[in-house]
Structure formats: structure tokens, C-alpha cells
Amino acid sequence: FVERIEQPIRLSGLFNGRIENFKFTRMNIDVGNTHLSGSINMDGLPNINETFMVIDLRNSIVDPEDLSFLFNEKTLNRLTPMGRLSLDGQFLGYPNDFVANGNFTGILGAIHSDINFKVNEQDFDQSVYSGSLSLKEFDLGTYLNDTLTFQKVSMDGNISGKGLTRNSADFQLNGHIYQVGVKGYNYTNIVTDARLAAERFNGLVSINDPNLELKAVGSIDLREGKNTLKIRALLDTAYLQKLNLSKDSIFLRTELVADIKGLSLDSLEGTADFRDFMVSYNTESLALDTIHLDARRDKDHRSFIL
């Protein structure tokens, strides 16, 4: 451990107790660009994984690169994109199971959290978390290394799940997304109480954006071999060109009830009903009272009724 420390560490303050149980108050710790100010109470050393800690920080700055000796490579890879962070808050618990309650501000935006974080020591990206989370202008695309798909997000709510990457994240979110950038469009006013994961959605979402008004409840699973859609939705407004989903001017409105499987015409199975359907394409439009789709398949034949 000691040989991994590459920079001098400077400490000052009041130390009271023994190594196995001590309080470090009026604390100042400096290493590289990192400055920690506040107090530390630790009980359980020298076994760090069984040591209970209460760390109170104020007016502090953390650069993950300065503290690289504390983390394995995977953990450091998830922390490095955050850059230097200004923080005020408290960390309470064990190194692999703690509550982080505080404000964090850095190059990616601002975070306020009151979250219990359980570290997966075998795979940090599969770590488990639960609690309240607030983001302000947080650059999600940069953090996920996918700026073409995602841009900045502002939100607050309660979150519970696991996973820290786009492909590993699987969580329940009950909250209000004030704005989120997706593929170059900034969606606003989203309320969700749903389970979200890569290519999956299950729950309720309401969007009240100038170019997309939608209320939906149900589930979508676009994973390979699944491709299921069970949903009831009211799509009041959708301007696809303004949402960067079409090169042409397309407007959609309908009420939808669907229980289908498959994404192509050949693989489609199930039923879907559209009511008060309207589509406008450039200068032309079409309105239909109802559309009913019924696709079935058995080992001898398949039927497709529209």
C-alpha cells in the first residue's frame, strides 16, 4: 500500500486516541491538488475493511488522481471522469458500505446526494446504491463516454439499483427530470416512476415537453431475443423532426394499447390498437378513428390482420 503513494502527504490538526480508535479534528490533509478539511473518526484499524468511519468535510477539494493509491484500476476509471471536485458533506460507514451525504461540484456539474453505496469489490461497475440524488447540469454523456447519445441532465428524486455504466446500470427512479439532452435534443419536464436499464423500461413516465407530450405505463424490453412491448400510452404531441428523430417534418398523435413481440414484420406477434390516430408528413396528413393490428404465428402458418 505505502509503495503506491507517489506524492508527499501533509497533515495537521488534533489527534486524540489510539490507531485502532481515534478522532482527528481541526484536520487539514494535502496531497497534490487535493485538500481535505474537517474531521475524521475511525474505529477498527488496522483492518481497513472492518473500520467504521465518520468523515466530515467542508471547503474541501478532491482530485481522484491524487488518491489513486486508495483505489483499484476499475474504481479509479469510474472516478477519474469526475475531475477535481469541490465538496462539503459527510461519509458514514465502512469503506465498502457507506452513506455519502453532501454537495459535490466539478467539471461535469453539481451533485447533491444522500445515498447508501455498497461497493462490489470484484466489479466496481456492479456496485449497489439507494437513496436520494439531485443533479444540476450534470454532463452525463461525458461521464458515460457517449456524448453523441447523451448530453447534460438536471433532476432530483429517489434512486435504487446497481451499475455505473450505460450497459451495467439497472435502477428504479422515482423523480423529476427537469431537462436531459438525448441525441442533440433537450427534453424537459419528465416525471418517472420506473425501472430503467439498458434497452429496458418498466413503469410510468410522463413528458410535458413543447415537442413531446406523452403519458405511458407499461414495459419495453429491446434486448436480443426479447423485443417485447406491453404498454398503454397517450401520445398527444410528437414533432419528430424537432426531436432530431426524423429529417422530414412529421407530427404524430394517438392513443395506444399494445402487447406485441418482435421488431420486424416477419417476427411480429401480438395485438396493438391505435385510437384517434393522426400523422402529418410535410404538407400532407392522415387521420384515422381506429387502427387494429393482430399478428399471430404457429408452426404451420402465420396471419397478419390490419
Side-chain angles (χ1 to χ4, degrees), residues 36-98:
L36 304 178
S37 176
S39 65
I40 294 179
N41 185 346
M42 302 184 74
D43 183 4
L45 288 175
N47 190 335
I48 186 64
N49 288 328
E50 295 182 5
T51 297
F52 186 82
M53 301 180 294
V54 180
I55 305 175
D56 287 296
L57 299 176
R58 62 181 185 278
N59 299 324
S60 296
I61 297 174
V62 171
D63 187 334
E65 294 286 356
D66 295 331
L67 305 178
S68 60
F69 59 88
L70 295 174
F71 310 113
N72 60 39
E73 183 178 356
K74 284 189 175 182
T75 303
L76 188 62
N77 287 340
R78 301 313 317 149
L79 295 175
T80 300
M82 303 290 290
R84 292 177 63 186
L85 289 171
S86 299
L87 59 92
D88 290 271
Q90 182 185 74
F91 298 82
L92 176 69
Y94 298 91
N96 56 5
D97 186 354
F98 60 89

Coordinates of all heavy atoms in Angstrom, one line a residue, residues 36-98:
L36 N -8.3 18.3 2.1 CA -9.4 17.9 2.9 C -9.3 18.6 4.2 O -8.3 18.7 4.9 CB -9.2 16.4 3.2 CG -9.2 15.5 1.9 CD1 -9.0 14.0 2.3 CD2 -10.4 15.6 1.0
S37 N -10.5 19.2 4.6 CA -10.6 20.0 5.8 C -11.8 19.5 6.6 O -12.9 19.4 6.0 CB -10.7 21.5 5.5 OG -10.9 22.2 6.6
G38 N -11.7 19.3 7.9 CA -12.8 18.9 8.7 C -12.4 18.0 9.8 O -11.5 18.3 10.6
S39 N -13.0 16.7 9.9 CA -12.6 15.8 10.9 C -12.8 14.4 10.5 O -13.6 14.1 9.6 CB -13.5 16.1 12.2 OG -14.8 15.8 11.9
I40 N -12.1 13.5 11.1 CA -12.2 12.0 10.9 C -12.3 11.3 12.2 O -11.5 11.6 13.1 CB -11.1 11.5 10.0 CG1 -11.0 12.1 8.6 CG2 -11.1 10.0 9.9 CD1 -9.9 11.6 7.8
N41 N -13.2 10.3 12.3 CA -13.3 9.4 13.4 C -13.3 8.0 12.9 O -14.2 7.6 12.1 CB -14.6 9.7 14.2 CG -14.7 8.9 15.5 OD1 -13.9 8.0 15.7 ND2 -15.7 9.2 16.3
M42 N -12.3 7.2 13.3 CA -12.1 5.9 12.8 C -12.0 4.9 13.9 O -11.3 5.1 14.9 CB -10.9 5.8 11.9 CG -10.9 6.8 10.7 SD -9.5 6.6 9.6 CE -9.9 5.1 8.7
D43 N -12.7 3.8 13.8 CA -12.7 2.7 14.8 C -12.6 1.4 14.1 O -13.6 0.9 13.4 CB -14.0 2.8 15.6 CG -14.1 1.8 16.8 OD1 -13.1 1.1 17.0 OD2 -15.1 1.8 17.5
G44 N -11.5 0.7 14.3 CA -11.3 -0.6 13.7 C -10.0 -0.9 13.1 O -9.7 -2.0 12.7
L45 N -9.1 0.1 12.9 CA -7.8 -0.2 12.3 C -7.0 -1.2 13.1 O -7.3 -1.3 14.3 CB -7.1 1.1 12.1 CG -7.6 2.1 11.1 CD1 -6.8 3.4 11.2 CD2 -7.5 1.5 9.7
P46 N -6.2 -2.0 12.5 CA -5.6 -1.8 11.1 C -6.4 -2.4 10.0 O -6.0 -2.3 8.9 CB -4.2 -2.4 11.3 CG -4.4 -3.5 12.3 CD -5.4 -3.0 13.2
N47 N -7.4 -3.2 10.3 CA -8.2 -3.8 9.2 C -9.1 -2.8 8.6 O -10.2 -2.5 9.1 CB -9.0 -5.0 9.8 CG -9.6 -5.9 8.6 OD1 -9.9 -5.4 7.5 ND2 -9.8 -7.1 8.9
I48 N -8.7 -2.2 7.5 CA -9.5 -1.1 7.0 C -10.9 -1.4 6.5 O -11.8 -0.7 6.7 CB -8.7 -0.4 5.8 CG1 -9.4 0.9 5.3 CG2 -8.5 -1.4 4.6 CD1 -9.4 1.9 6.3
N49 N -11.1 -2.7 6.0 CA -12.4 -3.1 5.6 C -13.4 -3.3 6.7 O -14.6 -3.3 6.5 CB -12.3 -4.4 4.7 CG -11.7 -4.1 3.4 OD1 -11.8 -3.1 2.8 ND2 -10.9 -5.1 2.9
E50 N -12.9 -3.4 7.9 CA -13.8 -3.5 9.1 C -13.7 -2.3 10.0 O -14.2 -2.3 11.1 CB -13.4 -4.8 9.9 CG -13.6 -6.1 9.1 CD -13.3 -7.3 10.0 OE1 -12.9 -7.1 11.2 OE2 -13.3 -8.4 9.4
T51 N -13.3 -1.2 9.4 CA -13.1 0.0 10.2 C -14.3 0.9 9.9 O -14.7 1.3 8.8 CB -11.9 0.8 9.8 OG1 -10.7 0.0 10.1 CG2 -11.8 2.1 10.5
F52 N -15.0 1.3 11.0 CA -16.2 2.2 10.9 C -15.6 3.7 10.9 O -14.8 4.0 11.8 CB -17.1 2.0 12.0 CG -18.4 2.8 11.9 CD1 -19.4 2.4 11.1 CD2 -18.5 4.0 12.6 CE1 -20.6 3.2 11.0 CE2 -19.7 4.8 12.4 CZ -20.7 4.4 11.6
M53 N -16.1 4.5 9.9 CA -15.6 5.8 9.8 C -16.7 6.9 9.8 O -17.8 6.6 9.2 CB -14.8 5.9 8.4 CG -13.6 5.0 8.3 SD -12.8 5.2 6.8 CE -14.0 4.6 5.6
V54 N -16.4 8.0 10.4 CA -17.3 9.2 10.2 C -16.3 10.3 9.7 O -15.5 10.7 10.5 CB -17.9 9.6 11.6 CG1 -18.8 10.8 11.4 CG2 -18.7 8.4 12.1
I55 N -16.5 10.7 8.5 CA -15.7 11.7 7.9 C -16.6 12.9 7.6 O -17.5 12.8 6.8 CB -15.0 11.2 6.6 CG1 -14.2 9.9 6.9 CG2 -14.1 12.3 6.0 CD1 -13.6 9.3 5.7
D56 N -16.3 14.0 8.2 CA -17.0 15.3 7.9 C -16.0 16.2 7.2 O -14.9 16.5 7.7 CB -17.4 16.0 9.2 CG -18.6 15.2 9.8 OD1 -19.7 15.2 9.2 OD2 -18.5 14.7 10.9
L57 N -16.4 16.7 6.0 CA -15.5 17.5 5.2 C -16.2 18.8 4.9 O -17.5 18.9 4.6 CB -15.2 16.8 3.9 CG -14.4 15.5 4.0 CD1 -14.2 14.9 2.6 CD2 -13.1 15.7 4.7
R58 N -15.5 19.9 4.8 CA -16.0 21.2 4.5 C -15.0 22.0 3.7 O -13.8 21.8 3.9 CB -16.4 22.0 5.7 CG -15.3 22.3 6.6 CD -15.8 23.1 7.9 NE -14.6 23.5 8.7 CZ -14.0 22.8 9.6 NH1 -14.5 21.5 9.8 NH2 -13.0 23.2 10.3
N59 N -15.4 22.7 2.7 CA -14.5 23.5 1.9 C -13.3 22.7 1.4 O -12.2 23.1 1.4 CB -14.0 24.7 2.6 CG -15.1 25.7 3.1 OD1 -16.1 25.8 2.3 ND2 -15.0 26.2 4.2
S60 N -13.6 21.5 0.9 CA -12.6 20.5 0.5 C -12.6 20.4 -1.0 O -13.5 20.6 -1.7 CB -12.8 19.2 1.2 OG -12.7 19.3 2.6
I61 N -11.4 20.0 -1.5 CA -11.2 19.7 -2.9 C -10.6 18.3 -3.1 O -9.6 18.0 -2.4 CB -10.3 20.8 -3.6 CG1 -11.0 22.1 -3.5 CG2 -10.0 20.4 -5.0 CD1 -10.1 23.3 -4.0
V62 N -11.1 17.5 -4.0 CA -10.6 16.1 -4.2 C -10.3 16.0 -5.7 O -11.2 16.2 -6.5 CB -11.6 15.1 -3.7 CG1 -11.2 13.7 -4.2 CG2 -11.8 15.1 -2.2
D63 N -9.1 15.5 -5.9 CA -8.7 15.1 -7.3 C -8.5 13.6 -7.2 O -7.5 13.2 -6.6 CB -7.4 15.8 -7.7 CG -7.1 15.6 -9.2 OD1 -7.5 14.5 -9.7 OD2 -6.4 16.4 -9.8
P64 N -9.3 12.8 -7.9 CA -9.1 11.3 -7.8 C -7.7 10.8 -8.1 O -7.3 9.8 -7.6 CB -10.2 10.8 -8.8 CG -11.2 11.9 -8.9 CD -10.4 13.2 -8.7
E65 N -7.0 11.5 -9.0 CA -5.7 11.1 -9.4 C -4.8 11.2 -8.2 O -3.9 10.3 -8.1 CB -5.2 12.0 -10.5 CG -5.9 11.8 -11.8 CD -5.6 10.5 -12.6 OE1 -4.7 9.8 -12.1 OE2 -6.2 10.3 -13.6
D66 N -5.0 12.1 -7.3 CA -4.1 12.2 -6.1 C -4.3 11.1 -5.2 O -3.4 10.8 -4.4 CB -4.4 13.6 -5.4 CG -4.0 14.8 -6.2 OD1 -3.1 14.7 -7.1 OD2 -4.6 15.8 -6.1
L67 N -5.5 10.5 -5.2 CA -5.9 9.4 -4.2 C -5.9 8.1 -4.9 O -6.5 7.1 -4.4 CB -7.2 9.7 -3.6 CG -7.3 11.1 -2.9 CD1 -8.7 11.3 -2.3 CD2 -6.3 11.3 -1.8
S68 N -5.2 8.0 -6.0 CA -5.2 6.7 -6.8 C -4.7 5.5 -6.0 O -5.1 4.4 -6.3 CB -4.4 6.9 -8.1 OG -3.1 7.2 -7.8
F69 N -3.8 5.8 -5.0 CA -3.3 4.7 -4.2 C -4.4 4.0 -3.4 O -4.1 2.9 -2.8 CB -2.2 5.2 -3.3 CG -2.5 6.3 -2.4 CD1 -3.0 6.0 -1.1 CD2 -2.4 7.6 -2.8 CE1 -3.4 7.0 -0.3 CE2 -2.8 8.7 -1.9 CZ -3.3 8.4 -0.6
L70 N -5.5 4.6 -3.2 CA -6.6 4.1 -2.4 C -7.5 3.1 -3.2 O -8.3 2.4 -2.6 CB -7.5 5.2 -1.8 CG -6.8 6.1 -0.8 CD1 -7.8 7.3 -0.4 CD2 -6.4 5.4 0.4
F71 N -7.4 3.2 -4.6 CA -8.4 2.5 -5.4 C -7.8 1.5 -6.3 O -6.6 1.7 -6.7 CB -9.3 3.5 -6.2 CG -9.8 4.7 -5.4 CD1 -9.3 6.0 -5.6 CD2 -10.8 4.4 -4.4 CE1 -9.8 7.0 -4.8 CE2 -11.3 5.5 -3.7 CZ -10.8 6.8 -3.9
N72 N -8.6 0.5 -6.7 CA -8.1 -0.4 -7.8 C -8.4 0.3 -9.2 O -9.0 1.4 -9.2 CB -8.8 -1.7 -7.7 CG -10.3 -1.7 -7.9 OD1 -10.8 -0.9 -8.6 ND2 -11.0 -2.5 -7.1
E73 N -7.9 -0.3 -10.2 CA -8.0 0.3 -11.5 C -9.4 0.6 -12.0 O -9.7 1.7 -12.5 CB -7.3 -0.5 -12.6 CG -7.2 0.1 -14.0 CD -6.5 -0.7 -15.0 OE1 -5.9 -1.8 -14.6 OE2 -6.4 -0.4 -16.1
K74 N -10.3 -0.3 -11.8 CA -11.7 -0.2 -12.3 C -12.4 1.0 -11.5 O -13.2 1.8 -12.1 CB -12.5 -1.5 -12.1 CG -12.2 -2.5 -13.2 CD -13.2 -3.7 -13.1 CE -12.9 -4.6 -14.3 NZ -13.9 -5.8 -14.2
T75 N -12.2 1.0 -10.2 CA -12.8 2.1 -9.4 C -12.3 3.4 -9.8 O -13.0 4.4 -10.0 CB -12.5 1.9 -7.9 OG1 -13.0 0.6 -7.5 CG2 -13.2 2.9 -7.0
L76 N -11.0 3.5 -10.0 CA -10.4 4.8 -10.5 C -10.9 5.2 -11.8 O -11.1 6.4 -12.1 CB -8.8 4.7 -10.5 CG -8.1 5.9 -10.7 CD1 -8.3 6.9 -9.6 CD2 -6.6 5.6 -10.9
N77 N -11.1 4.3 -12.7 CA -11.7 4.6 -14.1 C -13.1 5.2 -14.0 O -13.4 6.0 -14.8 CB -11.7 3.4 -14.9 CG -10.3 2.9 -15.4 OD1 -9.4 3.7 -15.3 ND2 -10.2 1.7 -15.8
R78 N -13.9 4.9 -13.0 CA -15.2 5.5 -12.8 C -15.1 6.8 -12.1 O -16.0 7.7 -12.3 CB -16.1 4.6 -12.0 CG -16.4 3.2 -12.5 CD -16.7 3.1 -14.0 NE -17.6 4.1 -14.5 CZ -17.6 4.6 -15.7 NH1 -16.7 4.2 -16.6 NH2 -18.5 5.5 -16.1
L79 N -14.1 7.1 -11.3 CA -13.9 8.3 -10.6 C -13.2 9.4 -11.4 O -13.5 10.6 -11.3 CB -13.2 8.1 -9.3 CG -13.9 7.2 -8.2 CD1 -12.9 7.0 -7.1 CD2 -15.2 7.8 -7.8
T80 N -12.3 9.0 -12.2 CA -11.4 10.0 -13.0 C -12.2 10.9 -13.8 O -11.9 12.1 -13.9 CB -10.4 9.2 -13.8 OG1 -9.6 8.4 -13.0 CG2 -9.5 10.2 -14.6
P81 N -13.3 10.5 -14.6 CA -14.1 11.4 -15.4 C -14.7 12.6 -14.6 O -15.0 13.6 -15.2 CB -15.1 10.6 -16.0 CG -14.6 9.2 -16.0 CD -13.8 9.1 -14.8
M82 N -14.9 12.4 -13.3 CA -15.4 13.5 -12.5 C -14.5 14.7 -12.3 O -15.0 15.8 -12.1 CB -15.8 12.9 -11.1 CG -16.7 11.7 -11.1 SD -18.4 12.2 -11.6 CE -18.9 13.1 -10.1
G83 N -13.2 14.4 -12.5 CA -12.2 15.5 -12.4 C -12.1 16.0 -10.9 O -12.6 15.3 -10.0
R84 N -11.6 17.2 -10.7 CA -11.5 17.8 -9.4 C -12.9 18.2 -8.9 O -13.6 18.8 -9.6 CB -10.6 19.0 -9.4 CG -9.1 18.7 -9.7 CD -8.3 19.9 -9.8 NE -8.2 20.6 -8.5 CZ -7.7 21.8 -8.3 NH1 -7.1 22.4 -9.3 NH2 -7.7 22.4 -7.1
L85 N -13.2 17.8 -7.7 CA -14.5 18.1 -7.0 C -14.3 19.0 -5.8 O -13.5 18.7 -5.0 CB -15.1 16.8 -6.6 CG -15.6 15.8 -7.7 CD1 -16.0 14.5 -7.1 CD2 -16.8 16.4 -8.4
S86 N -15.2 20.0 -5.8 CA -15.3 20.8 -4.5 C -16.5 20.1 -3.7 O -17.5 19.8 -4.3 CB -15.7 22.2 -4.8 OG -14.7 22.8 -5.6
L87 N -16.3 19.9 -2.4 CA -17.3 19.1 -1.7 C -17.4 19.6 -0.3 O -16.5 20.1 0.4 CB -17.0 17.6 -1.8 CG -15.7 17.1 -1.2 CD1 -15.8 16.7 0.2 CD2 -15.2 15.9 -2.0
D88 N -18.6 19.5 0.2 CA -19.0 19.6 1.6 C -19.9 18.5 1.9 O -21.0 18.4 1.3 CB -19.7 21.0 1.9 CG -18.8 22.2 1.7 OD1 -18.1 22.5 2.7 OD2 -18.7 22.7 0.6
G89 N -19.6 17.7 2.9 CA -20.5 16.6 3.2 C -19.9 15.6 4.3 O -18.9 15.9 4.9
Q90 N -20.7 14.5 4.4 CA -20.3 13.5 5.4 C -20.3 12.1 4.8 O -21.2 11.8 4.0 CB -21.3 13.5 6.6 CG -20.9 12.5 7.7 CD -21.9 12.5 8.8 OE1 -23.0 11.9 8.6 NE2 -21.6 13.1 9.9
F91 N -19.3 11.3 5.1 CA -19.2 9.9 4.7 C -19.3 9.1 6.0 O -18.5 9.3 6.9 CB -17.9 9.6 4.0 CG -17.8 10.4 2.7 CD1 -17.4 11.7 2.7 CD2 -18.2 9.8 1.5 CE1 -17.3 12.4 1.5 CE2 -18.1 10.5 0.3 CZ -17.6 11.8 0.3
L92 N -20.3 8.2 6.1 CA -20.5 7.5 7.3 C -20.6 6.0 7.0 O -21.5 5.6 6.2 CB -21.8 8.0 7.9 CG -22.3 7.3 9.2 CD1 -21.4 7.6 10.4 CD2 -23.8 7.7 9.5
G93 N -19.8 5.2 7.6 CA -19.9 3.7 7.4 C -18.5 3.1 7.2 O -17.5 3.6 7.7
Y94 N -18.5 2.0 6.5 CA -17.3 1.2 6.2 C -16.8 1.6 4.8 O -17.6 2.1 3.9 CB -17.6 -0.3 6.3 CG -18.0 -0.6 7.7 CD1 -19.3 -0.7 8.1 CD2 -17.0 -1.0 8.7 CE1 -19.7 -1.0 9.4 CE2 -17.4 -1.4 10.0 CZ -18.8 -1.4 10.3 OH -19.1 -1.7 11.6
P95 N -15.6 1.3 4.4 CA -15.1 1.6 3.1 C -15.9 1.0 2.0 O -16.0 1.6 0.9 CB -13.6 1.1 3.1 CG -13.2 1.1 4.5 CD -14.5 0.8 5.3
N96 N -16.5 -0.2 2.2 CA -17.2 -0.8 1.1 C -18.7 -0.8 1.3 O -19.5 -1.4 0.6 CB -16.8 -2.3 1.0 CG -16.9 -3.1 2.3 OD1 -17.4 -2.5 3.3 ND2 -16.4 -4.3 2.3
D97 N -19.2 0.0 2.4 CA -20.6 0.1 2.6 C -20.8 1.4 3.4 O -20.7 1.4 4.7 CB -21.1 -1.1 3.4 CG -22.7 -1.1 3.6 OD1 -23.3 0.0 3.2 OD2 -23.2 -2.1 4.1
F98 N -21.1 2.5 2.7 CA -21.2 3.8 3.4 C -22.3 4.7 2.9 O -22.9 4.4 1.8 CB -19.9 4.5 3.3 CG -19.5 4.8 1.8 CD1 -19.9 6.0 1.2 CD2 -18.7 3.9 1.1 CE1 -19.6 6.2 -0.1 CE2 -18.4 4.2 -0.2 CZ -18.8 5.3 -0.8

